[in-house]
Amino acid sequence: MNNRNVDVSLTLIKRFIDEECDGEISALTTFDFKKLRGNKTYGCRGRSFDCDDTNLARAIYAVVWGDDFPEILDSNTKDRVLVRGDTLNTFHTLFGRLVTTEKDQKQFKGLEHYSPDADLREKVSNFHSLYHTIGNFFPLPNENGGTSRAKTLNTYRGGAKYGDYFDLFLRQLESYFLDTGCDPTITRLIDLNRFYFDRFERSKQGFMEFCEVNLLEGYLNEDGSVRTNLTSHSRWWWKRRSTEESYKMEASSYIEFSSELIGRRADKIINILEQKLNIS
């Protein structure tokens, strides 16, 4: 293990808690990483801004997952990052991008097509902040074969086939572990990232361990199969395949599922950080 990088990461997290959270680590649970845009210490100085790839997020990955994936500990020093942050539960695919804020009311390109009432608009606005919190991030291997335009697991799951919905992607990983017909592109990308996936046996137990290590148990049913958090016909807002009524119902269900999962993961991450930081 690269103990120096662990120490550097711990120092950065401690500093952030003192400076930005008034010394309360629990405040990190709901901290919106979008606020780090332009921050030279905790943001993405020298590279494109991405909430799940900020210096603070990288430090948290190193401390929480460095024992399981030592490659994370070199992520701040290598030009070619082997393990990179990824956002679990998508926002834009279902609700669209923020287009305007009028009278303290946010409007989103996708949501506006479905005549949202005040209650749904508030839920979506709150989720817009929540989905960029630490409970919605996890480290994913980033090797793509070395070409700049080639897809990574992160960018491939974010494309048209899966729409950035993590449950669809996780089902493909389940199929890989169980050898029941995984997407060939995902299989190829997994093969390029053996350093990450070879830690897990290719079996049902291996898949369960993968989910446990990455704090993804909330995506699983009691029998270990992957839950679904949205029915199929409303997955992409721009395809306009659902009625306003069904869209609103599924949007509320998606936010409820995702918010619960994000909250539980955040609590687990904070508990690990408390142990590593010796906070009682």
Side-chain angles (χ1 to χ4, degrees), residues 136-176:
N136 206 28
F137 300 161
F138 91 121
L140 193 64
N142 198 53
E143 182 60 73
N144 67 352
T147 58
S148 60
R149 295 185 178 181
K151 296 285 189 181
T152 64
L153 284 168
N154 184 328
T155 56
Y156 183 64
R157 64 158 281 226
K161 188 169 185 177
Y162 299 105
D164 216 20
Y165 285 107
F166 190 75
D167 58 326
L168 297 183
F169 175 67
L170 191 60
R171 282 182 221 163
Q172 290 300 317
L173 293 186
E174 180 184 27
S175 295
Y176 170 80

Side-chain angles (χ1 to χ4, degrees), residues 26 28-30 134-135 215 260-275:
S26 59
L28 186 56
T29 303
T30 56
I134 193 60
L215 311 178
E260 178 185 355
L261 186 142
I262 291 169
R264 280 188 287 172
R265 288 190 79 251
D267 288 342
K268 291 179 181 179
I269 290 171
I270 296 302
N271 286 339
I272 295 171
L273 290 176
E274 286 178 335
Q275 295 173 24

Side-chain angles (χ1 to χ4, degrees), residues 19-273:
E19 292 180 352
E20 305 294 335
C21 300
D22 295 326
E24 295 293 334
I25 191 172
S26 59
L28 186 56
T29 303
T30 56
F31 178 79
D32 187 347
F33 278 60
K34 289 196 302 294
K35 295 177 180 179
L36 297 179
R37 184 182 293 275
N39 190 301
K40 296 180 180 180
T41 301
Y42 306 113
C44 297
R45 184 177 185 179
R47 61 187 187 275
S48 298
F49 182 79
D50 201 343
C51 292
D52 56 27
D53 192 42
T54 55
N55 291 338
L56 178 62
R58 287 183 173 190
I60 292 171
Y61 303 148
V63 172
V64 174
W65 282 285
D67 289 339
D68 297 294
F69 308 115
E71 295 81 6
I72 294 175
L73 302 177
D74 295 323
S75 287
N76 285 339
T77 58
K78 289 185 177 181
D79 293 331
R80 193 166 160 194
V81 178
L82 288 176
V83 179
R84 186 192 184 284
D86 192 14
T87 298
L88 294 171
N89 298 285
T90 184
F91 182 92
H92 295 142
T93 310
L94 186 58
F95 303 114
R97 296 189 178 278
L98 177 67
V99 290
T100 185
T101 302
E102 296 182 359
K103 299 179 180 179
D104 296 325
Q105 184 181 82
K106 293 180 179 178
Q107 295 184 351
F108 302 93
K109 189 173 183 179
L111 178 66
E112 296 308 312
H113 283 285
Y114 297 94
S115 304
D117 57 23
D119 181 60
L120 179 58
R121 193 183 296 279
E122 182 179 7
K123 289 179 181 178
V124 173
S125 181
N126 290 338
F127 186 62
H128 186 244
S129 295
L130 184 64
Y131 99 107
H132 277 152
T133 58
I134 193 60
N136 206 28
F137 300 161
F138 91 121
L140 193 64
N142 198 53
E143 182 60 73
N144 67 352
T147 58
S148 60
R149 295 185 178 181
K151 296 285 189 181
T152 64
L153 284 168
N154 184 328
T155 56
Y156 183 64
R157 64 158 281 226
K161 188 169 185 177
Y162 299 105
D164 216 20
Y165 285 107
F166 190 75
D167 58 326
L168 297 183
F169 175 67
L170 191 60
R171 282 182 221 163
Q172 290 300 317
L173 293 186
E174 180 184 27
S175 295
Y176 170 80
F177 277 100
L178 301 182
D179 198 16
T180 56
C182 180
D183 179 327
T185 298
I186 291 179
T187 299
R188 179 181 63 80
L189 289 169
I190 289 174
D191 287 340
L192 288 172
N193 290 277
R194 286 289 179 190
F195 67 89
Y196 178 100
F197 286 98
D198 278 354
R199 290 172 172 78
F200 306 103
E201 179 183 283
R202 196 168 176 183
S203 64
K204 182 70 171 182
Q205 182 60 34
F207 175 67
M208 299 286 286
E209 290 176 0
F210 167 84
C211 291
E212 182 179 358
V213 166
N214 286 296
L215 311 178
L216 302 173
E217 301 97 325
Y219 280 104
L220 304 181
N221 294 308
E222 290 185 4
D223 63 359
S225 61
V226 179
R227 296 171 60 185
T228 179
N229 59 352
L230 195 67
T231 52
S232 61
H233 62 275
S234 294
R235 289 193 182 276
W236 295 270
W237 71 260
W238 56 89
K239 293 188 177 182
R240 307 290 295 277
R241 291 180 177 174
S242 62
T243 64
E244 289 186 1
E245 182 179 0
S246 64
Y247 175 88
K248 292 173 183 177
M249 179 181 66
E250 291 169 6
S252 293
S253 177
Y254 176 79
I255 291 173
E256 181 180 359
F257 173 93
S258 300
S259 299
E260 178 185 355
L261 186 142
I262 291 169
R264 280 188 287 172
R265 288 190 79 251
D267 288 342
K268 291 179 181 179
I269 290 171
I270 296 302
N271 286 339
I272 295 171
L273 290 176

